[in-house]
Amino acid sequence: EDMSKTNIFTASPLRYSNVKLAANLSYFDIGGLGVYDASGNKTSDFKRNSVDLGITAAGNFGRISLGLTIKGINEKYGSDSGRAFAADAGIIFELMRSVSIGASMLNTGTKLKIGTVEKKLTGGTKAGICIKPSEKVKINCVRAS
């Protein structure tokens, strides 16, 4: 009931280049959760929050577009906290004017250790194809794993 999510994002093209740079700061907070003993009496409050900072570079180089994000992740559960580092990467290749294929990898990086618990970051890979039969119609098909 007491959750909030805040994002600050900026992006800018590099002068005289096909490359764009971006930065994103994200804050997620869950408050107002109670901790109870075996008798059902509230003993304390539980807070969970996470802060992510990402720096991105992306560019178009003819028929190929590439993107890479490097990010730091800091999560806190109650009095325990942990950090992880990860990267997202993607590529789009234009086969012909109306057909493109692409692939991406998300959250490839270190594990997040909070207290005695270590977990792998949620991530995966995606691949897809985009077919544009006209300027107003696009058909996308994506496979994720």
Side-chain angles (χ1 to χ4, degrees):
E1 293 178 14
D2 188 13
M3 296 188 326
S4 65
K5 172 116 174 145
T6 304
N7 283 305
I8 299 171
F9 181 83
T10 185
S12 178
L14 286 179
R15 187 174 279 177
Y16 310 115
S17 171
N18 292 333
V19 176
K20 289 144 185 82
L21 296 178
N24 181 58
L25 178 63
S26 176
Y27 178 75
F28 177 69
D29 182 67
I30 299 175
L33 298 174
V35 177
Y36 297 87
D37 63 18
S39 302
N41 299 315
K42 186 175 180 181
T43 59
S44 64
D45 288 321
F46 177 81
K47 288 197 159 244
R48 184 233 185 251
N49 63 51
S50 83
V51 178
D52 305 342
L53 174 63
I55 306 296
T56 301
N60 182 284
F61 308 97
R63 295 169 55 179
I64 296 177
S65 297
L66 302 168
L68 175 68
T69 298
I70 304 295
K71 53 190 167 183
I73 302 161
N74 185 4
E75 292 200 4
K76 185 172 182 180
Y77 290 81
S79 61
D80 294 325
S81 64
R83 291 182 178 85
F85 296 94
D88 300 340
I91 184 170
I92 298 173
F93 181 71
E94 187 179 302
L95 294 172
M96 57 185 79
R97 186 176 203 102
S98 60
V99 179
S100 299
I101 59 172
S104 66
M105 294 182 348
L106 306 172
N107 279 338
T108 301
T110 64
K111 291 182 179 179
L112 179 67
K113 183 176 181 180
I114 300 175
T116 60
V117 177
E118 188 174 75
K119 71 173 187 170
K120 189 176 178 182
L121 297 173
T122 304
T125 58
K126 295 181 182 182
I129 186 168
C130 177
I131 301 169
K132 296 182 274 187
S134 74
E135 287 300 315
K136 295 185 180 189
V137 177
K138 291 182 183 178
I139 302 168
N140 293 311
C141 180
V142 176
R143 170 133 172 94
S145 64

